[in-house]
Amino acid sequence: MASGKQIDVREAIMKVACTTVQMHGYNALSFRDLGEAVGVKSSSVHHYFPTKADLAEALASRYADDFEVMLDGLLKDEPEHDELMKAYAAIYREGLADNNRICLIGMMNAEISSLPQPVRAQIERFAGVHVKWLTKVLKYRHPRATPATLKAKATAIYAALQGAQIVSHGFGGDTKLFDKMIDAYIASDLFS
Amino acid sequence: MASGKQIDVREAIMKVACTTVQMHGYNALSFRDLGEAVGVKSSSVHHYFPTKADLAEALASRYADDFEVMLDGLLKDEPEHDELMKAYAAIYREGLADNNRICLIGMMNAEISSLPQPVRAQIERFAGVHVKWLTKVLKYRHPRATPATLKAKATAIYAALQGAQIVSHGFGGDTKLFDKMIDAYIASDLFS
DNA sequence: ACCTGAACACCGTTCAAGT
DNA sequence: ACCTGAACACCGTTCAAGT
C-alpha cells in the first residue's frame, strides 16, 4: 500500500528544494515559495524541516547517498578507464543541460558561510565519496603510485569538474564551453 | 586636495561590499548591514547604488579592471612560464588565506541566476581577461599550437583554479588542500 | 500528526522630506 | 548633493490554535 500523505509532502519539498538550490542557491531558497510549490503554507514546511539548515542537511545527506550508489553503479560493468572518466564528467554535464543546474554540493561550497556545521559535515562526506571513488579508479591505472599521489590527483579532478561546471553555469549553462574544458583536461592527462 | 565625502562613502561601500560578496555571497549582502558598516542608513546606500544589481555591476566591473592591470603587471619582468603560472595560482591562494575569500566572479558564477544582464556582461568580460592572458602565456610555450587549442586550455586552467578555490572555500579556506590540487594540476601538465 | 494565521525582526526598494 | 524615516511587500522563524 502507498505511504501516507506526510511522506509525499516531505518528499515533494525535498525534490523542489534540491533543484531550486542547484539552480538559484541556498540563500535564494524561500520557505514560502517552497510551500506554494507543494501546496502547503510556509509554516507547514517548518513541520517537516524545523529550520532551513535542517532542510539543507537533509538535502546534502541524501545527495551524498545518491552519488555513492550512482558512482558504485558505474563500476559494475568494469568499463575501461577512459570510459569511466567520461561517464563521470557526463554527470556534471547533464545537470547543466537540465535547466542549468549545478551540483548541490558545488553550490553549497560557494555558500558555505551560510551553512552550519551539520551541513558542512555532509558537504565533506560528499567530497570524500567522490575522492574515494576517483582514487579507486586511478589506482587501476597507476597501481604503483602512492596513495597520497592518487588522492591528490583525485581531489584535483573533483575540483576541476566543479570549476568547469560553475564557470559554465555562469555562462548560461553552456555545455559546449563545458565540453571544451573537459577535452582540455583530457588532453593534459589530468584524467589519466 | 582631498576628494569630497561622497566619494569616500561610495568607495567605502564598494570595499565592504566586495569582501562581503567574496566571503558570503551576493544574496547574503544586505544594504542595511552595508550602511551600518560605513555609517549611513540603507536608504543612503541607495543614493550611490540605486539597486543591488547596480552595486553588483560596479563591483564586477572594477574587479575585472583591477585584474586586467594586475595580470599585465605579472608579465612586466618577463618571468619564466612555470613562475608565471605559480604567480597566477598564488592570487587565488591569497584570497583563501585572507578570511576565506574567493574570487568575486567565482561567487557570482554560482549566483548567476540572481544577477541581471549588465552584471553577467562584466562576469563574461572578467573571464575573457583571464582566458586572454592565459592564452598569451601558453602561446610562448606552444608557439605552434592552434589558437583554439590554446584558448581551450586557457579556459580549462581558469575553471580548474575557480574549482580548486571554491572547493577549498567549502573546507574552511584550506590552503593546504588548495596547494595539493595545484601540485596535481602541475603534475598532470595542465599548467604547461 | 499535520496544517494554519498571526506576529516578530529581518530584507530590498521607493519616496517624500529634510539639509 | 547627500541623508533620513516611513512605508511596502518580502524573508525565516515561532507559536498558539485548529483538525
Side-chain angles (χ1 to χ4, degrees):
Chain A
M1 77 178 219
S3 48
K5 189 186 179 184
Q6 67 279 16
I7 294 183
D8 296 329
V9 172
R10 192 190 149 90
E11 180 60 30
I13 291 170
M14 287 187 72
K15 270 217 176 76
V16 175
C18 187
T19 60
T20 301
V21 174
Q22 288 183 272
M23 289 193 293
H24 310 299
Y26 173 76
N27 286 322
L29 181 70
S30 156
F31 267 44
R32 282 181 175 83
D33 290 347
L34 222 39
E36 194 159 2
V38 304
V40 297
K41 295 295 172 183
S42 76
S43 40
S44 293
V45 179
H46 283 282
H47 175 260
Y48 298 97
F49 304 99
T51 68
K52 213 177 154 182
D54 290 320
L55 173 56
E57 186 184 353
L59 293 176
S61 175
R62 190 163 77 170
Y63 204 74
D65 290 344
D66 290 348
F67 264 85
E68 202 160 16
V69 172
M70 190 203 303
L71 292 179
D72 277 349
L74 290 181
L75 300 175
K76 283 288 181 288
D77 304 332
E78 297 186 6
E80 286 186 9
H81 176 85
D82 291 355
E83 295 305 313
L84 262 180
M85 294 307 296
K86 280 179 186 171
Y88 184 69
I91 297 170
Y92 292 84
R93 200 199 130 106
E94 283 163 17
L96 288 174
D98 179 10
N99 292 310
N100 196 7
R101 287 182 297 112
I102 64 170
C103 172
L104 180 81
I105 270 63
M107 185 65 87
M108 287 184 171
N109 273 328
E111 295 180 296
I112 193 73
S113 81
S114 302
L115 299 165
Q117 224 294 311
V119 188
R120 297 183 189 193
Q122 295 303 323
I123 290 170
E124 293 182 17
R125 185 167 76 86
F126 179 87
V129 165
H130 281 249
V131 170
K132 188 179 175 184
W133 185 85
L134 286 164
T135 301
K136 190 175 177 181
V137 170
L138 290 170
K139 194 172 164 57
Y140 284 104
R141 255 270 161 125
H142 309 281
R144 290 166 48 193
T146 68
T149 303
L150 291 172
K151 187 179 178 182
K153 184 157 192 166
T155 309
I157 293 171
Y158 173 66
L161 275 164
Q162 291 287 347
Q165 195 186 40
I166 284 187
V167 170
S168 301
H169 180 68
F171 278 75
D174 188 338
T175 50
K176 293 201 173 184
L177 177 63
F178 180 81
D179 290 340
K180 282 180 192 163
M181 292 171 182
I182 301 306
D183 287 345
Y185 288 157
I186 292 171
S188 75
D189 282 336
L190 179 62
F191 283 8
S192 34
Chain B
M1 78 178 221
S3 49
K5 189 188 179 185
Q6 67 279 14
I7 293 184
D8 296 330
V9 173
R10 192 189 149 89
E11 179 61 29
I13 290 170
M14 287 188 72
K15 271 215 176 77
V16 175
C18 187
T19 61
T20 300
V21 174
Q22 288 183 271
M23 289 193 292
H24 310 299
Y26 172 75
N27 285 323
L29 182 70
S30 155
F31 266 45
R32 282 182 174 84
D33 291 346
L34 222 39
E36 194 159 1
V38 305
V40 297
K41 295 294 173 184
S42 75
S43 41
S44 293
V45 178
H46 283 282
H47 175 260
Y48 298 97
F49 304 98
T51 69
K52 214 177 153 181
D54 289 322
L55 173 56
E57 185 184 353
L59 293 177
S61 175
R62 190 163 78 170
Y63 205 74
D65 291 343
D66 290 348
F67 264 84
E68 201 159 18
V69 172
M70 188 204 304
L71 292 179
D72 277 349
L74 290 181
L75 299 176
K76 283 286 182 287
D77 305 331
E78 296 185 8
E80 287 185 7
H81 176 85
D82 291 355
E83 295 304 314
L84 261 182
M85 294 306 295
K86 280 179 186 170
Y88 183 69
I91 296 169
Y92 291 84
R93 200 199 130 107
E94 284 163 16
L96 287 175
D98 179 10
N99 292 309
N100 197 7
R101 287 182 297 112
I102 64 171
C103 171
L104 179 81
I105 270 64
M107 184 65 87
M108 287 183 171
N109 273 329
E111 295 180 297
I112 193 73
S113 82
S114 303
L115 298 165
Q117 224 293 312
V119 189
R120 298 183 188 193
Q122 295 303 323
I123 291 170
E124 293 183 17
R125 185 166 75 86
F126 179 87
V129 166
H130 281 248
V131 170
K132 187 179 175 183
W133 185 86
L134 285 164
T135 301
K136 190 176 178 181
V137 170
L138 290 170
K139 194 173 165 56
Y140 283 105
R141 256 268 163 127
H142 309 281
R144 291 166 47 194
T146 68
T149 303
L150 291 172
K151 187 180 178 183
K153 183 157 191 166
T155 309
I157 293 172
Y158 172 66
L161 277 164
Q162 292 287 347
Q165 196 187 40
I166 284 188
V167 170
S168 301
H169 180 69
F171 278 75
D174 189 337
T175 51
K176 293 201 172 183
L177 177 64
F178 180 82
D179 290 340
K180 281 179 192 164
M181 292 170 180
I182 300 305
D183 287 345
Y185 288 158
I186 292 172
S188 74
D189 282 336
L190 180 62
F191 283 8
S192 33

